[in-house]
Amino acid sequence: MPYINYQNREITFKVVYYGPGMSGKTTNLLYIHSALSPDLKGELITLNTDEDRTLFFDFFPLHLGNIDGFNVKFNMYTVPGQVYYEASRKLILDGADGVVFVADSQPFRLEENIESYRLMEDNLRHYGYSTTQFPLVLQYNKRDCVNPLPVGILEEQLGTADIAVFEAQAMNGIGVLETIKELSRTIVMRFQL
């Protein structure tokens, strides 16, 4: 559920990028942050481990228009992809209004994608969310890899036929903005109902 500040007339939604380690979650946020005009974004905060992977989250507020006179803001986070940070991943999902699941398109990462998605489902259920009724977008990242996973294989394996799917190359910005635009649109539409 979004945070509504009546005094400042601001609605803040929480978006979480979730997926296996090194799938491109942080790269998505870095691209979005670099593509936005300075007046639309806040500071990007990154916490890294010694291996230069995101430990807890990447976060920045993104300001997008208004709803009924309220300014709309999206706080965007990534979770650590490594399974041994499961408690942190679960905590970051608390209060989320929508999720981009970033899958790694390299064929040898199929099982990691499936495991990460299942853990995300479990974590969302812990907070009372169902992935069938929750704003969720699937991004097949790293589409420039050799023999990428065919689009549709994850949906088939996971039983998620109705999910919005995007192909991306986050390093080049391909498909990144389209992914977040769709999730943002879905979140706002759900809130207005």
Side-chain angles (χ1 to χ4, degrees), residues 9 11 63-73 188 192:
R9 303 207 44 88
I11 301 170
H63 304 272
L64 293 175
N66 67 62
I67 298 173
D68 295 331
F70 282 77
N71 289 323
V72 176
K73 183 173 158 182
V188 170
Q192 289 180 317

Side-chain angles (χ1 to χ4, degrees), residues 15-94:
V15 172
V16 177
Y17 279 70
Y18 202 103
M22 305 300 288
S23 62
K25 300 174 297 295
T26 297
T27 306
N28 267 272
L29 285 194
L30 289 171
Y31 181 81
I32 294 167
H33 193 262
S34 72
L36 295 173
S37 135
D39 59 323
L40 293 178
K41 64 187 177 186
E43 181 182 352
L44 179 66
I45 300 168
T46 305
L47 302 173
N48 292 318
T49 65
D50 293 334
E51 297 94 35
D52 202 32
R53 293 178 170 182
T54 307
L55 175 57
F56 290 107
F57 59 84
D58 296 314
F59 159 81
F60 72 93
L62 170 64
H63 304 272
L64 293 175
N66 67 62
I67 298 173
D68 295 331
F70 282 77
N71 289 323
V72 176
K73 183 173 158 182
F74 285 86
N75 287 334
M76 304 178 72
Y77 297 80
T78 65
V79 299
Q82 299 75 21
V83 176
Y84 48 89
Y85 292 123
E86 186 58 27
S88 296
R89 295 191 306 185
K90 187 177 196 175
L91 185 61
I92 292 168
L93 275 177
D94 187 17

Side-chain angles (χ1 to χ4, degrees), residues 14-15 31 52-53 63 87 89 97 131 134 151 160 165 176 180 193:
K14 182 177 182 179
V15 172
Y31 181 81
D52 202 32
R53 293 178 170 182
H63 304 272
R89 295 191 306 185
D97 295 297
T131 54
F134 186 77
V151 172
T160 57
V165 176
V176 172
I180 191 58
L193 293 177

Side-chain angles (χ1 to χ4, degrees), residues 111-181:
E111 290 306 317
E112 287 175 77
N113 289 323
I114 292 169
E115 176 187 18
S116 184
Y117 192 91
R118 293 290 186 223
L119 289 170
M120 178 195 69
E121 284 181 314
D122 290 345
N123 290 336
L124 286 171
R125 267 194 298 276
H126 174 80
Y127 293 116
Y129 303 129
S130 164
T131 54
T132 59
Q133 300 168 340
F134 186 77
L136 178 64
V137 173
L138 172 60
Q139 181 190 82
Y140 282 85
N141 192 27
K142 301 184 183 181
R143 297 308 288 170
D144 53 340
C145 73
V146 177
N147 298 318
L149 291 170
V151 172
I153 193 165
L154 283 172
E155 301 93 288
E156 181 182 311
Q157 296 279 323
L158 299 167
T160 57
D162 296 334
I163 193 169
V165 176
F166 292 87
E167 295 182 78
Q169 294 175 30
M171 290 290 289
N172 303 317
I174 297 169
V176 172
L177 295 179
E178 294 81 358
T179 302
I180 191 58
K181 283 178 186 175

Side-chain angles (χ1 to χ4, degrees), residues 178-189:
E178 294 81 358
T179 302
I180 191 58
K181 283 178 186 175
E182 175 61 20
L183 182 64
S184 301
R185 184 189 66 78
T186 304
I187 289 170
V188 170
M189 283 179 49

